[in-house]
Amino acid sequence: MSRVNFDTLLEAGCHFGHLKRKWNPAMAPYIFMERNGIHIIDLNKTVAKVEEAAEALKQIAKSGKKILFVATKKQAKQVVAEKAASVNMPYVIERWPGGMLTNFPTIRKAVKKMATIDKLTNDGTYSNLSKREVLQISRQRAKLEKNLGSIADLTRLPSALFVVDVLKENIAVREANRLGIPVFAIVDTNSDPSNIDFVIPANDDATKSVEVILDACCAAMAEGLEERKAEKVDMEAAGENAPKAAKKKATKARMDKAEEDAISASKAAAFMSKDEEEA
């Protein structure tokens, strides 16, 4: 069954592109027609691309790896934050910190600094400081939380990037390309799809359009996570049964050996009694 259909995308306004004069010629294969100076995206291709991207995201989630969602435009911020949080994935909805991928260790230090401030606040270390110093530290903590709070659980580089509006998030895309991290993106008619591994041609300016596509992708990721959980349970069950089977096998081997020894002993006894009778 298809994760998303033509009518749903049409209702959400996914087919609206940008003005003809703003188009990127590389998006020509995904454009259906032009109407009133605006390009219309071919939704049949969008459906196919959503399916392809959703399947790939499902496999990444199933393998237990992280996918980083990036959307700093106001129309997509809230939707991306909700959907990413629903599948327990990291996201960036404020300013993209330059070098977040290519200079990841430095970003991790900033996240650790945030954790250190929390720890020192809780154990009362800051209670001896002046009000001014405490205020400065709390402001610093708030700034770090705003920019990096959503990626606090990201301990290593993500296995994929999901981007809304590649034109606005071009730095994030370039960093991912440089490190060989696959990029999934909602690409509008004014953007260049050549650096994107999984292109989803759709309107990236409408909240409803972004939400419909994210619903399909996050549902696939949730499936992958459920399958991973089920496999883990099966493996644990198999691990518990394995020692029992080994124990049964060992017991059977001991019984077989005992029987062999008993038979050997009886044969030896019979042979000895025969020798005595002959003597």
Side-chain angles (χ1 to χ4, degrees):
M1 187 182 165
S2 179
R3 296 180 195 279
V4 67
N5 59 49
F6 187 97
D7 294 332
T8 310
L9 294 175
L10 190 67
E11 283 172 23
C14 296
H15 58 295
F16 291 117
H18 278 268
L19 292 169
K20 187 184 174 184
R21 61 188 169 84
K22 289 186 176 180
W23 83 309
N24 189 313
M27 283 297 288
Y30 305 107
I31 294 171
F32 178 66
M33 64 180 289
E34 178 222 329
R35 178 170 287 179
N36 300 331
I38 294 172
H39 277 129
I40 304 297
I41 295 165
D42 187 347
L43 290 183
N44 287 315
K45 289 185 179 175
T46 303
V47 170
K49 289 292 184 180
V50 168
E51 287 294 323
E52 185 187 331
E55 196 53 44
L57 287 166
K58 180 182 174 180
Q59 294 307 318
I60 292 170
K62 191 177 176 181
S63 64
K65 294 172 181 173
K66 293 287 184 183
I67 297 146
L68 178 63
F69 287 78
V70 185
T72 59
K73 64 197 303 181
K74 64 179 181 181
Q75 301 98 309
K77 267 186 186 184
Q78 198 58 40
V79 176
V80 168
E82 287 171 10
K83 299 297 176 191
S86 70
V87 287
N88 199 25
M89 293 293 173
Y91 56 90
V92 174
I93 56 171
E94 296 300 330
R95 184 183 66 85
W96 173 263
M100 184 175 156
L101 299 179
T102 50
N103 196 16
F104 189 69
T106 305
I107 299 295
R108 281 301 302 160
K109 281 178 189 173
V111 172
K112 283 176 185 172
K113 188 175 184 180
M114 191 165 65
T116 306
I117 291 172
D118 287 343
K119 187 181 174 184
L120 294 175
T121 304
N122 293 334
D123 65 15
T125 308
Y126 289 151
S127 58
N128 300 325
L129 298 177
S130 66
K131 281 186 178 179
R132 182 187 176 88
E133 287 171 322
V134 171
L135 185 63
Q136 285 175 340
I137 290 166
S138 61
R139 280 178 182 166
Q140 187 183 21
R141 170 71 177 78
K143 189 178 178 182
L144 287 169
E145 177 65 40
K146 184 182 177 184
N147 292 323
L148 305 173
S150 57
I151 58 160
D153 296 332
L154 192 65
T155 53
R156 61 182 69 187
L157 282 171
S159 296
L161 226 65
F162 192 102
V163 179
V164 178
D165 194 348
V166 295
L167 206 61
K168 188 173 174 64
E169 318 299 346
N170 66 317
I171 298 172
V173 172
R174 272 162 37 208
E175 284 188 31
N177 290 155
R178 189 171 174 184
L179 295 173
I181 296 170
V183 180
F184 298 75
I186 299 175
V187 186
D188 214 329
T189 57
N190 65 335
S191 307
D192 182 9
S194 58
N195 295 326
I196 310 301
D197 300 282
F198 293 86
V199 177
I200 302 173
N203 180 4
D204 61 12
D205 294 306
T207 305
K208 189 69 179 165
S209 168
V210 173
E211 188 175 1
V212 165
I213 291 166
L214 280 175
D215 273 338
C217 292
C218 290
M221 287 161 65
E223 281 175 28
L225 291 168
E226 283 300 318
E227 285 179 19
R228 177 178 169 78
K229 205 181 284 182
E231 282 178 9
K232 203 172 180 183
V233 170
D234 291 343
M235 282 174 72
E236 283 173 5
E240 285 173 10
N241 291 335
K244 288 179 184 176
K247 195 174 180 182
K248 279 183 183 176
K249 198 174 180 182
T251 307
K252 192 173 183 298
R254 283 200 300 274
M255 286 174 69
D256 291 345
K257 194 171 187 304
E259 282 176 14
E260 283 176 15
D261 291 345
I263 291 165
S264 299
S266 62
K267 280 183 180 178
F271 184 74
M272 290 287 289
S273 61
K274 193 179 177 183
D275 283 351
E276 284 172 6
E277 283 173 9
E278 285 176 358

